[in-house]
């Protein structure tokens, strides 16, 4: 009974430790690359011991995936929120504007994301988890597009809403790769807007059947 009042403080402290480790790992991974970082370097950057690390993560791989999941979930929430602002009839040009404004195009995130893709490509179990998260993002987009198809038709070449969602995510992947190389984040955001507008409308910003 005497230990029960202290439990919430322990829980909050552990949550803070985990968050600090994730933040420190993000900075270290972005600066050096996942394959060149040790647990000791993450602990030093966060100001914690190895014991604190192992009380939260079994390995550097587990921390890396937790970091990726954190950012991937943020992107899914951003996209879902941007697409949810219209009523039944989605205003595609306006939705494209909102999505491109909120999508995470931070250069450090792009470096970490690329490291994670390479890491996952060589590890089937990690790749399976990554594919699951990407499917969630596509699902959020496809669900919104499907609910508006009766009001806002998609270009026939895209097929169904699921295929359109694949195309949207592929466009994001391509633009982020370019941003990673030329470091022009605002240019990448403008290009993504143009690309999604052309993809989801007739190219002029007018959804098919509405011109």
């Amino acid at each position: 009974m005497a230990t029960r009042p202290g439990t919430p403080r322990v829980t909050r402290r552990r949550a803070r430790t985990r968050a600090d480790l994730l933040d420190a790992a993000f900075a270290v991974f972005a600066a050096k690359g996942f394959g060149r970082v040790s647990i000791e370097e993450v602990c030093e950057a966060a100001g914690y011991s190895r014991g604190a690390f192992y009380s939260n993560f079994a390995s550097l791989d587990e921390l890396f995936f937790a970091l990726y999941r954190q950012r991937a979930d943020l992107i899914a929430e951003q996209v879902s929120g941007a697409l949810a602002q219209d009523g039944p009839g989605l205003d595609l040009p306006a939705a494209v504007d909102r999505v491109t404004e909120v999508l995470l195009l931070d250069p450090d995130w792009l470096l970490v994301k690329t490291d994670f893709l390479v890491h996952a490509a060589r590890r089937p179990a990690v790749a399976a988890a990554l594919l699951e998260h990407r499917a969630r993002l596509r699902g959020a987009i496809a669900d919104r597009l499907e609910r508006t198809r009766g009001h806002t038709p998609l270009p026939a070449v895209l097929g169904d809403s699921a295929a359109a969602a694949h195309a949207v995510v592929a466009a994001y992947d391509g633009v982020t790769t370019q941003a990673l190389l030329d470091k022009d984040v605002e240019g990448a955001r403008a290009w993504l807007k143009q690309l999604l507008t052309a993809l989801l409308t007739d190219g002029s910003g007018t959804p098919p059947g509405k011109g």
Side-chain angles (χ1 to χ4, degrees), residues 161-207:
S161 299
H166 269 278
V168 169
V169 174
Y172 173 68
D173 286 342
V175 168
T176 55
T177 298
Q178 183 64 31
L180 183 63
L181 296 175
D182 63 23
K183 312 300 183 185
D184 184 2
V185 173
E186 290 311 308
R189 203 176 295 281
W191 174 233
L192 181 61
K193 177 181 176 179
Q194 294 175 17
L195 190 57
L196 292 182
T197 298
L199 183 67
L200 297 175
T201 71
D202 64 358
S204 67
T206 303

Side-chain angles (χ1 to χ4, degrees), residues 1-204:
M1 293 294 292
T3 60
R4 190 170 298 171
T7 302
R9 290 196 299 272
V10 172
T11 300
R12 287 195 296 270
R13 184 167 66 246
R14 180 166 182 173
R16 182 69 262 167
T17 300
R18 181 182 176 89
D20 288 344
L21 286 166
L22 286 169
D23 289 345
F26 179 78
V28 176
F29 289 151
K32 300 186 67 174
F34 174 70
R36 297 181 175 87
V37 172
S38 67
I39 290 175
E40 287 77 11
E41 287 173 298
V42 172
C43 292
E44 181 179 353
Y48 290 109
S49 66
R50 286 176 63 93
F53 179 94
Y54 284 115
S55 71
N56 287 277
F57 304 103
S59 66
L60 207 56
D61 278 15
E62 183 179 310
L63 181 150
F64 197 32
F65 186 72
L67 181 63
Y68 181 88
R69 183 170 59 240
Q70 180 188 70
R71 300 300 171 111
D73 286 348
L74 171 62
I75 291 173
E77 289 170 8
Q78 289 174 328
V79 171
S80 296
L83 292 175
Q85 292 183 34
D86 289 320
L90 181 66
D91 181 346
L92 277 173
V96 166
D97 283 347
R98 291 196 301 270
V99 168
T100 53
E101 283 303 314
V102 302
L103 271 173
L104 191 62
L105 287 173
D106 173 60
D108 285 346
W109 160 243
L110 300 184
L111 286 168
V112 174
K113 172 190 171 186
T114 302
D115 269 351
F116 191 81
L117 290 172
V118 173
H119 178 69
R122 295 189 173 97
R123 293 162 178 81
V126 180
L130 175 59
L131 288 171
E132 179 184 343
H133 280 278
R134 288 174 65 81
R136 285 179 54 200
L137 175 60
R138 290 195 306 270
I141 298 170
D143 178 66
R144 188 63 178 102
L145 293 175
E146 184 61 32
R147 285 188 286 118
T148 63
R149 287 191 75 185
H151 305 270
T152 308
L154 294 170
V157 69
L158 290 178
D160 60 15
S161 299
H166 269 278
V168 169
V169 174
Y172 173 68
D173 286 342
V175 168
T176 55
T177 298
Q178 183 64 31
L180 183 63
L181 296 175
D182 63 23
K183 312 300 183 185
D184 184 2
V185 173
E186 290 311 308
R189 203 176 295 281
W191 174 233
L192 181 61
K193 177 181 176 179
Q194 294 175 17
L195 190 57
L196 292 182
T197 298
L199 183 67
L200 297 175
T201 71
D202 64 358
S204 67

